[in-house]
Amino acid sequence: MQPSAPQRPANRHQRLVDIVFIIGVFFKGLDGVVELIAGIPLLFLGPSTIQHLAHQATADELQEDPHDLIAHLILHGTASLTAGATVLAAVYLIFHGGVKLAIVIALMFGKLRVYPWALAGLVAFLVLQIVQLTLQPSIGVAVLTVFDAIIIILTFREWREHRVLPEAWRNALGRPPRGAASPGDGSRHADAQSA
């Protein structure tokens, strides 16, 4: 009988993959919440109100550092807003954030049938981001695109292996899967070997 040492790296590797998957899903959910929080007010605020709020939000920072890049980007981004662009941005943020949040919630319930829908939604958003990155290159969209690609790969891997998010969570915490025999339970282990 071979020692169990060769299994440890695989278990450690699986645990690391599960941790990355869980962190990625958490940030995807957080991103969805932020997009919803940002998108809903845009439905009710006009471009002039948004510009006024942007000036208020950046005034202190620009007093400290008149050349602050982020503050100038915020002001520049809001300066050219139109009513149509504001509504379009609101609808995009609400839809994008809502889909991300729905995917995360569904994955949390551990239903395998959700994974193809999650993958389809994530791939659709990835394609949109690649198109946006091609038309208007930006570091933020590039980082988000790479992040989404990693989440898609990990989600596909979990689905292919018929693993659900709660199982990945248990493994990341070092707990055995549900229904697995504990190491000291000889009777279950013997029953499992005879089956």
Side-chain angles (χ1 to χ4, degrees):
M1 188 171 207
Q2 291 182 345
S4 61
Q7 292 179 350
R8 286 184 187 156
N11 291 341
R12 198 174 303 141
H13 173 72
Q14 180 63 46
R15 192 172 180 188
L16 178 64
V17 168
D18 286 339
I19 289 169
V20 171
F21 179 64
I22 291 165
I23 290 170
V25 169
F26 170 78
F27 279 112
K28 183 61 70 183
L30 185 63
D31 183 37
V33 169
V34 168
E35 287 181 353
L36 280 173
I37 291 171
I40 291 171
L42 286 179
L43 284 176
F44 307 105
L45 299 176
S48 59
T49 306
I50 294 170
Q51 290 166 0
H52 176 71
L53 290 172
H55 281 283
Q56 281 185 327
T58 57
D60 290 341
E61 187 59 38
L62 287 173
Q63 270 188 333
E64 277 184 35
D65 179 11
H67 303 291
D68 186 274
L69 178 65
I70 303 293
H72 282 288
L73 286 174
I74 291 171
L75 292 175
H76 179 69
T78 59
S80 58
L81 279 179
T82 64
T86 304
V87 170
L88 184 65
V91 169
Y92 176 81
L93 287 172
I94 291 169
F95 180 73
H96 197 241
V99 168
K100 285 181 181 178
L101 202 55
I103 288 169
V104 169
I105 290 169
L107 292 177
M108 285 172 59
F109 284 103
K111 303 296 182 190
L112 284 172
R113 66 177 178 254
V114 171
Y115 279 82
W117 292 102
L119 287 166
L122 292 171
V123 167
F125 286 126
L126 184 70
V127 169
L128 283 175
Q129 287 166 201
I130 291 171
V131 169
Q132 183 180 359
L133 193 59
T134 306
L135 298 174
Q136 296 176 333
S138 81
I139 294 173
V141 175
V143 169
L144 186 61
T145 302
V146 170
F147 175 71
D148 281 351
I150 292 169
I151 295 305
I152 289 168
I153 291 166
L154 292 173
T155 303
F156 178 76
R157 182 182 179 279
E158 296 296 310
W159 177 55
R160 187 186 68 213
E161 294 180 6
H162 301 286
R163 291 174 54 85
V164 292
L165 192 60
E167 183 181 330
W169 181 257
R170 283 190 296 277
N171 188 50
L173 294 175
R175 296 181 182 160
R178 283 192 181 165
S182 59
D185 191 354
S187 62
R188 281 188 183 173
H189 184 66
D191 290 343
Q193 282 184 341
S194 64

